[in-house]
Amino acid sequence: MGKAVKGSRILVVEDNFLAAEVVRDVLVGSECTVGGPLGRLADGVRLVDQGGLLGAVLDINLNGDWCFPIARALRERGVPFVFLTGYDDCAIIPEELRPVRRLGKPVLGPQLIDALSEVI
């Protein structure tokens, strides 16, 4: 299924360095170009504003900040994304973003690529 992401520029927003590197490595291994990984809300919003993204992987909690401004910016530009989270409770997610695909941490490489392929 990973053919849909091949060649895509994917934003990675994850504040945990090791988790970010795992996601980056999976994406690079699937022939994606990676924006980031970034660990701060402001950096994520800035990269979205630059454009050129075909998808994104967003950690919900970024050192105490919610990623939802990034998610909304992506949605405004029609860029598909998935949430990556350790949270089981979707109540923390704003109602308009609850339908977005969520992947639990730790995520397996094939699971991530399949999820991105579905949304892109």
Side-chain angles (χ1 to χ4, degrees), residues 22-56:
V22 167
V23 170
R24 187 190 68 76
D25 289 347
V26 166
L27 293 171
V28 168
S30 294
E31 301 181 39
C32 296
T33 301
V34 177
L38 306 171
R40 295 179 356 166
L41 181 61
D43 294 336
V45 170
R46 187 169 35 255
L47 195 58
V48 171
D49 287 343
Q50 291 175 5
L53 299 169
L54 295 179

Side-chain angles (χ1 to χ4, degrees), residues 75-87:
R75 182 167 271 179
E76 286 174 9
R77 288 161 183 78
V79 177
F81 58 93
V82 297
F83 288 128
L84 187 59
T85 183
Y87 293 101

Side-chain angles (χ1 to χ4, degrees), residues 89-109:
D89 184 5
C90 72
I92 62 170
I93 300 171
E95 189 171 335
E96 77 274 11
L97 296 173
R98 288 184 190 159
V100 173
R101 178 84 184 263
R102 287 187 329 262
L103 300 173
K105 290 183 184 181
V107 67
L108 302 174

Side-chain angles (χ1 to χ4, degrees), residues 54-56 79-82 100-101 113-120:
L54 295 179
V79 177
F81 58 93
V82 297
V100 173
R101 178 84 184 263
I113 296 303
D114 286 350
L116 283 171
S117 293
E118 288 174 13
V119 300
I120 288 182

